[in-house]
């Protein structure tokens, strides 16, 4: 009978630390459900942009029966709940979003709501009779900029804790920075 390990093959203890660290990093990149930053950003744009375009049209349709600010608030709330579920499940691969993620995501949506509202109010102050095309361009531009900020907040804070354990290894401590007699390690999250 042949032995399972040949005499030349290395055991786990004999593998150099650098090779093991490189294999761990590669395993994090291949872990299903934890997309790399570019892939998760592409999904964020796809799902967030899709929800944003639908929201933009819905806000325009609702501005007849209600004021624009109220329509924007209503649609932003609905879009945030739908977007949080989509991002949790597909963009960041953390499964179904819990209440904590919904509330934290809602906080970032409040900032997005403020950005779109201020942009629209500024448009109507500069051009009181702005047409639908101008409104859509300003709204989508402001929503796009707010979306980039939301991506960073969601990736680094809201959905960072739900990643599988192997992804936690990618988070490292920064070199200790000393000022006087005190040194503070600073965690740097992996994107």
């Amino acid at each position: 009978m042949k032995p399972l390990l040949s005499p030349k093959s290395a055991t786990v203890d004999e593998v150099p630390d650098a090779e093991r660290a490189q294999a761990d990093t590669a395993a994090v990149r291949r872990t299903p459900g934890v997309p790399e930053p570019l892939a998760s950003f592409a999904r964020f744009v796809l799902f967030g942009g899709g929800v944003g375009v639908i929201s933009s049209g819905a806000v325009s349709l609702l501005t007849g029966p209600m004021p624009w600010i109220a329509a924007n608030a209503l649609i932003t709330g609905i879009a945030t709940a739908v977007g949080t579920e989509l991002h949790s499940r597909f963009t960041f691969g953390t499964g179904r979003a819990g209440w904590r993620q919904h509330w934290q995501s809602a906080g970032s949506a409040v900032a997005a709501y403020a950005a779109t509202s201020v942009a629209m109010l500024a448009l109507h102050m500069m051009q009181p009779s702005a047409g639908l095309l101008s409104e859509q361009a300003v709204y989508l531009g402001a929503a796009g900029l707010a979306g980039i900020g939301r991506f960073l907040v969601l990736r680094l804070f809201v959905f960072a804790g739900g990643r599988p354990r192997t992804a936690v290894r990618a988070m490292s401590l920064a070199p200790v920075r000393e000022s006087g007699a005190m040194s503070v390690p600073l965690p740097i999250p992996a994107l």
Side-chain angles (χ1 to χ4, degrees), residues 31-123:
T31 303
V34 182
E36 291 187 32
L38 230 38
S40 63
F41 185 73
R43 290 180 185 142
F44 181 83
V45 169
L46 177 70
F47 293 121
V51 169
V53 168
I54 292 168
S55 297
S56 176
V59 168
S60 295
L61 291 173
L62 289 176
T63 55
M66 65 177 62
W68 186 89
I69 295 289
N72 190 23
L74 175 67
I75 296 302
T76 298
I78 293 168
T80 299
V82 170
T84 299
E85 278 300 321
L86 288 172
H87 293 317
S88 179
R89 293 177 185 206
F90 303 110
T91 303
F92 302 110
T94 58
R96 189 176 171 134
W99 285 108
R100 181 187 64 83
Q101 286 92 359
H102 277 287
W103 281 111
Q104 288 175 334
S105 182
S108 69
V110 168
Y113 170 75
T116 55
S117 295
V118 167
M120 292 300 287
L121 290 172
L123 170 69

Side-chain angles (χ1 to χ4, degrees), residues 150-161:
R150 283 197 73 213
F151 172 77
L152 293 172
V153 167
L154 295 176
R155 175 145 180 107
L156 297 175
F157 301 107
V158 177
F159 296 111

